[in-house]
Amino acid sequence: MGTAPTQCPSGITANFHAKFDSRTEFSCSSFPSTLNLSKLNSHPTSKGLVNKIGSLPDIDDLFWEKAPTPILDVVENPTHLKSLSIKELKLLADEIRLELSSTKSKTQRSFKASLAAVELTVALHYVFHAPVDKILWDAGEQTYAHKILTGRRILMPTLRQKNGLSGYTSRTESEYDPFGAGHGCNSISAGLGMAVARDIKGKRERVVTVINNTTTMAGQVYEAMSNAGYLDSNLVVILNDSRHSLHPKIEEGPKTSINALSSTLSRLQSSKSFRKFREAAKDVTKRIGMGMHELAAKVDEYARGMMGPLGSTLFEELGLYYIGPVDGHKLEDLICVLQEVASLDSMGPVLIHVITEENQCSEDNQKKVTVEKQQEGLSLNDIYSFSNDGHCRTYSDCLVEALVMEAEKEKDIVVVHAGTEMDPSLKLFRERFSDRFFDVGMAEQHAVTFSAGLSCGGLKPFCIIPSAFLQRAYDQVVHDVDRQRIPVRFVITSAGLVGSDGPLQCGAFDITFMSCLPNMIVMAASDEDELIDMVATATRIDDRPVCFRYPRGALVRTDYPIHGGSALEIGTGKVLVEGKDVALLGYGAMVQNCLKAQALLAKLGINVTVADARFCKPLDIKLLRWLCSNHDILITVEEGSVGGFSSHVVQFIALDGQLDGRLKWRPIVLPDNYIEHASPKEQLALAGLTGHHIAATTLSLLGRTREALLLIC
């Protein structure tokens, strides 16, 4: 079975899940790019960028009316910052904020994290010499000012769009991105690796990593810090502290203050003379012996703990020299501290605590951003569901309402949430059952084992984790849950393609890695009604773990009713439409696209059966045998990688002898590559998972290849 790419009028490469006759005469036109990239391609700062980005935005998008930015206009790469005065750098920071605000108004993205980090970004590129010096970021949301200063300003309107800039750092996008920003917490580990490699090779470049509050929730950060302290390689870690907390009540308490004294102390801590004096004192106490070195170290730690804010000695215990807090919006202080740190040839790992303030948007703007994010993440449908207040109804809303209904009946139900940020829908559960809701942030590994402990204690935990983040806790899923047959209920959100978040948060693999576990029950909801039923089903499973997935985005139906769920019979699917020619067996959200394909094929006189599998494990064996016995063609469709639902189906039907006769079977899955950021519709088309692609695959198997190509293009 082959996959033949064909260029369509929309510029989308369609993936056909069947082999076509190469002699078929058919042609499709394609539109050229809107702008010539030759000039950008010749620019040294765009190395590797043009190959990734196919076209620039329209002229009207590039030159919208905005405030003048005379200094930024002459800064084509970070080298140009070196000749600017402090006063000019401050003006540059203001202009970058104007630029980000203008881009925000065009792209409707939240730039708060990058707006807060503007002065820090300017200071980093002023002091260090990227791309020779390596600057790594944990969170992509902080890097938009970095992108502007590293030759990507003209492409900012394409942020997170198809063939546009990534929302994260990317090694293939720019030489100024030495490592890709993942889900957070990876920059110190990667930076330490680069620092050790530098030392082994005898090089001298600096390595700087930028982490934030969310990052510090993850265990990998502390593992990396501890190892950095042990290896004692020169490494600069910057904690960009925007004073966020998981718990709102904590935020109401005292915050780390920045005043003239703390600024002076930060400069003193980072100064070359102070560091040399400190190192000399260490040498003297070592020579004296008799425990003097250990005593002096304790005195030093105690004194510096008194100077620093609460918790600063934690980093000292891990082996990092703490400097701070530093005002993240005072360029003089930032540059002074960074220059002192950069000037030392032998310093070991250093942590610079920088305090920044994110610009707070109004409540109305926040609601707008939330609605736009939910709409943008729509995975399958053109139909949006709105409540009376205009809020876009999402699968997450449906999930939380179902959980609330079950929790009102079952006092042992608790919710554990992990991920970068909490879905606004979950606030409803937290408000209703504050003592039964636990948000652990980016500590996904902890979330899984914590849920297992809750279950062992007699509770019924629902562990809610986005698909891409659950990957990081797979060891705990295997050893702490499935192997011990502990009934943890995994709610896998953002399953499948996720639009502008691209491959970083794409939930492509959860069907595969969850369904291979011996004790796991694996389900997927095709619509909001099944999602409610699966919540009820999971509540009643007490002898083994269970998981179910749903996509990011709006609901299938516009008349979504609030009702209680009914437990499903384990391992049973259902037939939605019955035909005689072809059987489409959909899993999860792809059932909706199977129904679209059925409607298209019905117009061509083809009778199609559409079945909703609902369960990947255990499979509905009775349904599978009926589909194989009564149809000549069986096509399985899922929004997941190779090795998932389709693999379980073919494993059974092959061993059952169903493939020994006339039956033709074809799987439609996500392609074996990462699909870059684009709109959900564009991603589905690139993946070959639209209703038209499913119908085209059916037509090709029936020998009607010309009609299949016409249907796609």
Side-chain angles (χ1 to χ4, degrees), residues 108-128:
Q108 299 298 332
R109 302 289 174 190
S110 177
F111 283 11
K112 289 196 300 180
S114 285
L115 287 167
V118 168
E119 285 84 3
L120 175 59
T121 306
V122 170
L124 283 170
H125 282 295
Y126 179 78
V127 173
F128 296 97

Side-chain angles (χ1 to χ4, degrees), residues 340-374:
E340 291 289 354
V341 169
S343 66
L344 292 173
D345 292 329
S346 178
M347 61 179 181
V350 172
L351 184 134
I352 304 174
H353 185 184
V354 176
I355 305 293
T356 59
E357 294 284 350
E358 291 187 354
N359 294 341
Q360 300 297 319
C361 59
S362 67
E363 186 177 348
D364 290 339
N365 287 338
Q366 186 63 46
K367 288 181 179 178
K368 182 179 179 183
V369 169
T370 300
V371 170
E372 285 163 351
K373 180 66 174 176
Q374 291 168 331

Side-chain angles (χ1 to χ4, degrees), residues 42-56:
S42 63
H43 199 285
T45 63
S46 61
K47 179 181 178 182
L49 184 59
V50 177
N51 291 334
K52 178 179 175 63
I53 300 173
S55 62
L56 291 173

